[in-house]
Amino acid sequence: MDKMSIELLQQQNPFMSLNDITYTILLQEIVCFRIPPGSWINENAVAKQLGISRSPMKYALSRLEKEGYVKKSHKYSVTGFSIKEYTDLKELCFLLESYAAGRAAVAATDRQLEELRGLARQMNDICCRADTTPRDALSRTIMDLEYQFHLKLVMLADSPLLSDLYEQIKFKLFRYRSYMIYNPPEGYYDIIETDHLVICDVLALHDRQLAESILRRHLSFFNTHFLKLFHINSL
C-alpha cells in the first residue's frame, strides 16, 4: 500500500475519484489480510503512505464502516469475524453459486468454459508448486485465482440479476475464504489442485443438476474446514 497503488488504479480507471481509489485500496488491504481483523487503522500513517490528504481517508473509512468492514470507537479498527455473518453469507453463497453453476452448464459456450478452465489450470499449477513457493506468495495467488474463478462462474450464468446480487456479497464472502487460504487445513492444496478442474469437467457435460451438485460439494468442503478453523481460533 503506497503511492504506486494509487497510480496503478488511476491508470486502470482514469475517471475514478481519489475518494473511490482510497476506498478500493483499503478494501483490498482488509479483504487480503494485509490489515488483519482487529487491527487499528492509523489514518495519518496510511494517508502519508498513499501520499494523500486526510479527506479521502475519512471518506473511505466512513464508507467501510457503513459496509461493516471497520468499526469506530475512539479510532477505526478492522471488524472481526462473526459466525452469524458467516452463516448468512454461506447460505446465500450456496444458493447463488450453485444456481450460477447450473445456469452456466447450459448457457456458457465452449470458448467461455475453456477460459474458466484456464483459471483452473493456473490453480492446479500453483498448487503443484506449493512446497517450493513462499507461503505469502502462494496464498495471494490462490486467493486471486479463487476470486476470479468464482466471479467468472457467476458471469457465465448470463443473469444480470444474479450478478447484481453476487456483487453485493463478493468481497465479504472472499474475506472469509481468504481466512482459510491463509490458514489452510491439512490436504488443502491437494484438494483444490484438482477440484476446480473437476468443476470444469462437469460444466462441460451441460447437465444442470450435476453442475449444481458439484458446486455444492465444492462449497461444503470450504464450509466444513472454515467452521473447524473458526472454532479453534475462537477458543
Side-chain angles (χ1 to χ4, degrees), residues 8-51:
L8 180 61
L9 282 174
Q10 286 174 330
Q11 290 172 7
Q12 293 172 347
N13 190 343
F15 301 104
M16 183 181 278
S17 70
L18 185 57
N19 283 350
D20 289 336
I21 287 175
T22 306
Y23 161 81
T24 300
I25 290 172
L26 285 176
L27 177 61
Q28 290 173 346
E29 295 291 304
I30 291 170
V31 171
C32 296
F33 282 84
R34 289 188 284 271
I35 307 179
S39 299
W40 295 106
I41 298 176
N42 186 320
E43 294 180 51
N44 290 331
V46 174
K48 186 175 181 179
Q49 274 183 274
L50 295 175

Side-chain angles (χ1 to χ4, degrees), residues 10-231:
Q10 286 174 330
Q11 290 172 7
Q12 293 172 347
N13 190 343
F15 301 104
M16 183 181 278
S17 70
L18 185 57
N19 283 350
D20 289 336
I21 287 175
T22 306
Y23 161 81
T24 300
I25 290 172
L26 285 176
L27 177 61
Q28 290 173 346
E29 295 291 304
I30 291 170
V31 171
C32 296
F33 282 84
R34 289 188 284 271
I35 307 179
S39 299
W40 295 106
I41 298 176
N42 186 320
E43 294 180 51
N44 290 331
V46 174
K48 186 175 181 179
Q49 274 183 274
L50 295 175
I52 59 175
S53 69
R54 289 188 62 189
S55 179
M57 276 295 299
K58 287 184 178 298
Y59 167 86
L61 289 169
S62 176
R63 182 173 170 185
L64 288 167
E65 183 181 19
K66 290 176 183 176
E67 295 174 356
Y69 292 102
V70 303
K71 58 184 179 180
K72 186 178 183 181
S73 51
H74 59 288
K75 57 182 179 179
Y76 286 101
S77 64
V78 177
T79 306
F81 286 134
S82 157
I83 195 64
K84 169 67 167 61
E85 181 181 61
Y86 170 73
T87 301
D88 290 344
L89 286 169
K90 181 257 299 183
E91 291 175 355
L92 278 171
C93 176
F94 267 69
L95 289 170
L96 297 179
E97 291 195 3
S98 61
Y99 176 70
R103 282 187 61 110
V106 297
T109 65
D110 290 342
R111 181 176 178 178
Q112 289 172 325
L113 291 177
E114 186 57 32
E115 290 173 356
L116 187 69
R117 185 180 292 277
L119 294 171
R121 289 195 188 104
Q122 291 181 58
M123 185 82 74
N124 175 267
D125 180 62
I126 189 66
C127 288
C128 286
R129 294 185 281 110
D131 292 338
T132 59
T133 305
R135 175 57 64 89
D136 188 59
L138 177 67
S139 299
R140 288 176 189 240
T141 303
I142 290 176
M143 185 171 62
D144 182 56
L145 289 170
E146 273 276 357
Y147 174 78
Q148 291 185 57
F149 185 91
H150 286 265
L151 188 61
K152 179 75 172 177
L153 182 62
V154 170
M155 292 173 63
L156 292 184
D158 193 26
S159 170
L161 178 58
L162 175 62
S163 295
D164 286 345
L165 290 171
Y166 195 73
E167 183 72 22
Q168 294 179 47
I169 68 167
K170 66 179 183 181
F171 288 120
K172 286 193 176 184
L173 176 63
F174 273 89
R175 184 174 176 234
Y176 283 91
R177 286 181 177 171
S178 299
Y179 183 54
M180 193 173 78
I181 291 171
Y182 275 88
N183 300 274
E186 185 176 354
Y188 175 75
Y189 300 121
D190 293 333
I191 291 174
I192 65 168
E193 178 182 326
T194 57
D195 219 34
H196 296 82
L197 287 169
V198 171
I199 292 171
C200 292
D201 289 340
V202 171
L203 289 173
L205 298 175
H206 304 295
D207 184 314
R208 184 166 189 161
Q209 282 190 311
L210 192 57
E212 291 180 357
S213 177
I214 198 69
L215 214 288
R216 283 193 292 267
R217 183 193 63 79
H218 175 73
L219 296 174
S220 293
F221 164 77
F222 170 83
N223 179 56
T224 299
H225 287 283
F226 177 84
L227 290 174
K228 288 180 182 177
L229 183 62
F230 187 87
H231 175 68

